[in-house]
Amino acid sequence: MNRPLFVSLDGPKGTGKTTLLEAVTQVLRAGNQKVIRLCERKSDPFRGETMALVNTLARNPCRDLEWAVCQRLADSRRWISQNVLTKQPLDSIILIDRWYPSDAAFRQTIPFAEILQLNMERDVRVPDLHVGVVTDPDISWARAANRSRGLGGTVIQKHAEHVACTEMFEQTVKDHGWMLCRNEGTVEEATMLVVSRIYEVLGLNVEVDARLGAQGIA
């Protein structure tokens, strides 16, 4: 490839997405792959202003405010695409924690088709591999409840809302033919699936199971 492989991991709260991303990074690096770990939130220089708007939206939900949030996020992703992704080594694998697919879970009134079109019009980079990480909503809700920070959500506060966002996200992943990773078993199983797909996209035939065991992950 003449540019880094770009992989996004998205999903509702509590699905183990960040833990999975860390495990995938470890296994790929064990295979002598150059991995760049990014986080949309931490890479976004305009995050403070956007979250202020999200907080306003949570208190006063309406379509116009939600569309404004979508626009701000798309503008930020364009900035990241132009100023962060282009600076990474050509022989690297970029793993990013959240990208525009996450809007399918957290935006409640704007159809995802409109959000996707907005991001494409902003020239937001399209991942070479979208990974949608999901669990049964009861499982992810329980996982989030056991974390020190809880659900940590501004938009989603109730179990019914979490169920709805999980269903919307999973349907969007299926509709677009993205990789659906059900993370309800062990992190080792999910890691093997994601790493195998990454190597498949790279056109490499690699024995992932052996590498997982060698790293003490399996």
Side-chain angles (χ1 to χ4, degrees), residues 77-202:
R77 294 178 189 125
R78 174 176 58 188
W79 188 93
I80 295 169
S81 296
Q82 295 174 348
N83 297 279
V84 178
L85 300 184
T86 57
K87 303 297 192 297
Q88 306 310 318
L90 295 181
D91 59 344
S92 63
I93 299 172
I94 301 172
L95 303 179
I96 194 163
D97 190 337
R98 296 208 178 283
W99 202 234
Y100 58 76
S102 285
D103 281 335
F106 300 115
R107 307 282 78 84
Q108 299 179 329
T109 60
I110 308 295
F112 183 73
E114 295 181 24
I115 295 171
L116 181 59
Q117 181 178 354
L118 173 67
N119 280 266
M120 296 305 96
E121 290 173 350
R122 294 291 199 277
D123 291 325
V124 172
R125 180 165 170 187
V126 178
D128 300 296
L129 175 63
H130 299 84
V131 180
V133 185
V134 300
T135 67
D136 181 279
D138 288 341
I139 293 175
S140 49
W141 183 263
R143 285 178 179 173
N146 289 327
R147 300 187 304 195
S148 59
R149 66 182 184 279
L151 189 66
T154 302
V155 177
I156 307 298
Q157 299 291 337
K158 300 177 182 178
H159 180 264
E161 295 171 337
H162 181 67
V163 171
C165 88
T166 300
E167 292 174 349
M168 288 190 300
F169 179 79
E170 184 167 348
Q171 187 60 51
T172 300
V173 171
K174 292 177 180 177
D175 289 345
H176 289 273
W178 298 336
M179 178 183 179
L180 183 65
C181 178
R182 302 204 67 89
N183 192 23
E184 295 169 339
T186 65
V187 67
E188 298 82 21
E189 293 170 329
T191 301
M192 183 179 67
L193 290 174
V194 175
V195 173
S196 295
R197 181 64 66 85
I198 289 173
Y199 279 129
E200 181 182 325
V201 174
L202 287 170

Side-chain angles (χ1 to χ4, degrees), residues 33-80:
Q33 299 295 328
K34 185 181 296 181
V35 179
I36 308 297
R37 280 275 304 278
L38 297 176
C39 174
E40 182 188 36
R41 172 174 56 84
K42 294 179 180 178
S43 302
D44 180 2
F46 315 112
R47 199 66 173 189
E49 296 93 330
T50 300
M51 288 309 300
L53 189 60
V54 170
N55 288 326
T56 301
L57 173 64
R59 295 191 299 270
N60 305 286
C62 71
R63 183 183 173 92
D64 288 346
L65 273 178
E66 186 164 80
W67 183 243
V69 168
C70 292
Q71 289 177 311
R72 289 197 62 92
L73 288 171
D75 286 339
S76 292
R77 294 178 189 125
R78 174 176 58 188
W79 188 93
I80 295 169

Side-chain angles (χ1 to χ4, degrees), residues 14-39:
T15 57
K17 172 179 54 60
T18 303
T19 300
L20 175 60
L21 192 150
E22 292 170 353
V24 169
T25 299
Q26 184 178 355
V27 171
L28 288 172
R29 286 176 176 166
N32 297 317
Q33 299 295 328
K34 185 181 296 181
V35 179
I36 308 297
R37 280 275 304 278
L38 297 176
C39 174

